[in-house]
Amino acid sequence: MNKPTEITTLIEKHLQTKQPLDNTKILVERRYPAFVKINPSYSEFEIKYSPINCWNAIAMNPQKAYEAEVPSLFNIGKIYGEANMSSWINQQVTALFGSSNSRDVNIANSISLFCDTFVADAMNYKVTEIALFFARYKAGRYDNSYSSFDTKRIGNAFRFEFLPERRREIDQYVHEREAKEREAEYERRTKNAISYEEYLKRKEQSQLPTS
């Protein structure tokens, strides 16, 4: 008898528990095997990508944030459940509120509603990119507005300041990588190249009779 495959095992498990099989979840997990291995549960992901554990490191290396092999917020929802997209954003925004001078209870109560709507703007971007935005916002990169905490300002800063900034930085990294590749190719060609005099010498030798 053939050994059951991973897919077969999953199907049997879902049939036994009468739970719907989410093929999208399986595909997403297969796309990011290293990420899922390190973060097998939402609680582990939430700890690793919490403001205290990731903001500083990500802010110090934005290129890694853009190029990291990590899921988008949308795919985080596929891996850990859709409700956790908003939960993770809530964790980031609550950290901003806690570090601000604002203690308005009404504003604090509005955070969850804001996070639910912000997900739609952020869902197509990697979690490392979103964390980079929050880290920069906390650092006052967007006119120190975090000190007076305003969820509307957070949304506007993401759409109208961070996203254009992101495009410029990614273009710059792509340009730098292509320049390095061209330089490496030039060095390779130069290393293997011969002078015109050597070319003529070899050509002459190749035309000499062999016997």
Side-chain angles (χ1 to χ4, degrees):
M1 181 180 293
N2 294 331
K3 184 178 180 180
T5 64
E6 179 185 356
I7 293 292
T8 303
T9 303
L10 285 168
I11 291 174
E12 290 177 349
K13 179 180 178 182
H14 279 267
L15 287 174
Q16 292 170 2
T17 58
K18 297 182 179 180
Q19 294 177 350
L21 180 63
D22 188 348
N23 291 324
T24 306
K25 180 179 187 295
I26 297 171
L27 293 174
V28 171
E29 289 180 345
R30 285 186 167 186
R31 184 178 176 183
Y32 303 100
F35 178 89
V36 174
K37 183 176 181 180
I38 297 172
N39 307 283
S41 67
Y42 175 73
S43 61
E44 288 167 292
F45 159 75
E46 186 180 39
I47 292 171
K48 184 174 182 180
Y49 288 87
S50 65
I52 194 171
N53 287 330
C54 78
W55 279 7
N56 185 59
I58 285 176
M60 295 292 288
N61 193 347
Q63 183 172 2
K64 187 175 180 179
Y66 296 131
E67 298 178 354
E69 287 294 323
V70 300
S72 65
L73 183 62
F74 175 80
N75 283 330
I76 288 295
K78 291 300 179 183
I79 296 172
Y80 304 118
E82 292 185 3
N84 285 320
M85 292 190 290
S86 181
S87 295
W88 183 73
I89 294 295
N90 196 306
Q91 181 193 49
Q92 311 296 305
V93 176
T94 299
L96 287 182
F97 178 76
S99 62
S100 72
N101 296 325
S102 179
R103 293 296 178 267
D104 189 324
V105 176
N106 291 327
I107 293 178
N109 292 337
S110 71
I111 289 178
S112 293
L113 179 60
F114 166 76
C115 294
D116 291 341
T117 58
F118 184 75
V119 165
D121 286 329
M123 66 192 308
N124 293 323
Y125 300 96
K126 297 177 181 180
V127 289
T128 46
E129 295 176 314
I130 300 169
L132 175 63
F133 161 69
F134 283 116
R136 287 178 170 177
Y137 195 95
K138 167 66 173 63
R141 191 179 183 109
Y142 310 114
D143 70 23
N144 292 315
S145 55
Y146 77 90
S147 61
S148 57
F149 194 81
D150 181 354
T151 54
K152 182 179 180 181
R153 179 72 186 97
I154 295 172
N156 286 338
F158 181 78
R159 287 188 292 271
F160 303 121
E161 295 179 69
F162 174 73
L163 292 184
E165 181 179 60
R166 170 185 176 274
R167 286 192 291 270
R168 290 192 300 270
E169 289 178 332
I170 290 177
D171 287 344
Q172 177 186 342
Y173 296 139
V174 170
H175 176 77
E176 291 174 353
R177 182 171 64 250
E178 291 176 344
K180 289 180 181 178
E181 291 173 353
R182 288 194 298 269
E183 182 179 354
E185 177 63 16
Y186 173 77
E187 290 178 355
R188 185 187 68 79
R189 289 177 178 273
T190 302
K191 184 178 180 180
N192 296 329
I194 60 174
S195 65
Y196 183 64
E197 290 76 11
E198 179 66 18
Y199 165 74
L200 292 176
K201 182 179 179 180
R202 293 185 184 183
K203 182 177 180 182
E204 181 181 354
Q205 289 176 342
S206 66
Q207 292 175 348
L208 292 176
T210 58
S211 60

